[in-house]
Amino acid sequence: MSHSTLLQVDDLVKSYGGLRATDHASLSVLTGEIHALIGPNGAGKTTLIQLISGALAPSAGRIEFDGMDITRMPMHARVAHGLARSFQITSIFHRLSVLDNLALAVLAHAGHSLNFWRPARRDAERYALAAEVAQRVGLGLHVHRLGGALSHGEQRQLELGLALATRPKLLLLDEPMAGMGPDESERMLSLLQSLRGETTLLLVEHDMNAVFRLADRISTLVAGRVIACGTPQEIRQNPEVRLAYLGDDEEATA
Ligand code: ATP
C-alpha cells in the first residue's frame, strides 16, 4: 500500500445558523486504505461526507483530492475526477436488468472522456466491463435479473457496482451495512475487504464490529471535530474516544 495522501480535509466548517455541524474538522485518507469515520449521533459524519462529495458547500476550510483543490468544485466534476459516492441515494433502475444497470453506469462515466471507438465496439466493451463489475460485486450469476427483483442485500451490492463502474479513486460509503441481516452484512463486509488496495474507501458505519474488522484507520468525530485518528487498536485504547463514544466498558475493548 502506498502511503501518499489521496484526500486531505483541513479545518472544514459547516454552519447552520449558530450550530456548527462540522467544526474545523480535519482528516486525511491515504491511497489504498479503508478509512472509517465513526462518532455518536449528530457528530457530523453525514455532513462531512456530504461536504467531501460536494452535496454541501462548506462555510470555511479546504478539501484537496488527488492533488487538486476541490473545495468549490461541483459534485459532477468531483465524480469525473474519481470521487464517487454510494448508498445515500438509491440509484438502481428496478425495471432494468443488473447488467443493463451497470452498463448505464459505465456509459455515464465514459461520457466524461473522449474516445474514438466505433459505436458497436464501444457497446461490446461497455457490456464486458459491466459483466466484470457484476462478477466483482458477487452478482455474476444474477446479471439477467431485474434490479427490482433483487433482495435488499443484492441491491446494495448492485449499488456498490454502480459506483465501481465509474472506476473511482476514492469511494465514499454511507452506512454500507444499514438495514442488512447478519448474512447480508457478512457478504458486504467481505466484498468491501476484497476491495482493499484496489479502491480507496472512506466509510461511515454504525456497526462497530464491522468497522473494527474492516478499517485500516479510523477517525473519530465528536461535536463536529475529529478528536482522534488511528488504527483500530489505537482507537480502542484512546481514552478520549472511549469516554466520548465507545463508553469506557469492557465490551468496547473486547
Ligand atoms: P447520525 O449518526 O445520527 O447520522 P451524524 O454524525 O451523521 O449523525 P449529521 O447528520 O452530520 O450527524 O448532523 C450533525 C449536526 O448538524 C446535528 O446536530 C444535526 O442536527 C445538524 N444538522 C445537519 N443538517 C442540518 C441542516 N440541514 N440544518 C440544520 N442542522 C443540521
Side-chain angles (χ1 to χ4, degrees):
M1 185 173 99
S2 147
H3 289 282
S4 62
T5 301
L6 182 59
L7 178 78
Q8 180 69 45
V9 170
D10 288 314
D11 281 325
L12 221 50
V13 177
K14 179 66 186 176
S15 306
Y16 293 107
L19 177 100
R20 283 180 175 167
T22 62
D23 188 5
H24 298 277
S26 298
L27 174 81
S28 68
V29 176
L30 306 176
T31 303
E33 78 173 340
I34 299 181
H35 196 118
L37 195 56
I38 66 170
N41 289 339
K45 303 179 294 293
T46 301
T47 302
L48 188 50
I49 291 287
Q50 288 179 324
L51 291 169
I52 294 168
S53 73
L56 286 176
S59 313
R62 188 172 192 272
I63 310 170
E64 192 176 307
F65 172 66
D66 201 22
M68 281 172 296
D69 182 345
I70 63 161
T71 315
R72 265 159 274 281
M73 188 183 274
M75 178 151 47
H76 65 86
R78 296 183 201 207
V79 173
H81 280 110
L83 209 174
R85 181 174 180 204
S86 193
F87 298 133
Q88 192 64 15
I89 308 145
T90 298
S91 40
I92 293 173
F93 290 104
H94 284 226
R95 300 182 73 176
L96 291 185
S97 72
V98 166
L99 196 62
D100 285 334
N101 267 285
L102 290 168
L104 266 179
V106 172
L107 182 67
H109 180 61
H112 290 292
S113 61
L114 280 178
N115 64 59
F116 300 96
W117 292 331
R118 281 174 295 129
R121 167 82 192 285
R122 209 152 59 199
D123 222 41
E125 198 85 23
R126 194 151 69 80
Y127 273 88
L129 211 107
E132 203 179 290
V133 175
Q135 194 77 37
R136 191 75 195 76
V137 297
L139 294 175
L141 297 174
H142 304 282
V143 286
H144 299 302
R145 286 173 66 197
L146 295 184
L150 300 175
S151 70
H152 175 70
E154 288 166 340
Q155 290 193 349
R156 311 283 295 202
Q157 287 167 248
L158 179 53
E159 284 169 17
L160 183 64
L162 296 177
L164 289 176
T166 70
R167 308 224 153 166
K169 292 184 185 122
L170 174 64
L171 184 54
L172 307 174
L173 302 175
D174 209 331
E175 297 191 44
M177 325 286 178
M180 286 188 174
D183 291 350
E184 288 179 329
S185 279
E186 204 55 40
R187 200 172 316 132
M188 181 56 76
L189 187 72
S190 47
L191 187 49
L192 295 177
Q193 265 162 344
S194 76
L195 296 176
R196 190 189 306 279
E198 199 175 293
T199 307
T200 307
L201 303 181
L202 174 61
L203 61 113
V204 170
E205 181 53 56
H206 281 111
D207 178 344
M208 282 306 112
N209 180 36
V211 164
F212 281 101
R213 282 169 66 195
L214 190 59
D216 296 304
R217 291 196 307 150
I218 298 171
S219 289
T220 308
L221 204 60
V222 175
R225 284 173 180 268
V226 177
I227 62 157
C229 175
T231 63
Q233 182 73 4
E234 287 165 346
I235 290 297
R236 261 199 200 99
Q237 291 168 352
N238 184 303
E240 271 186 280
V241 174
R242 291 168 65 127
L243 193 68
Y245 180 58
L246 295 174
D248 197 7
D249 57 28
E250 284 310 302
E251 209 186 347
T253 63

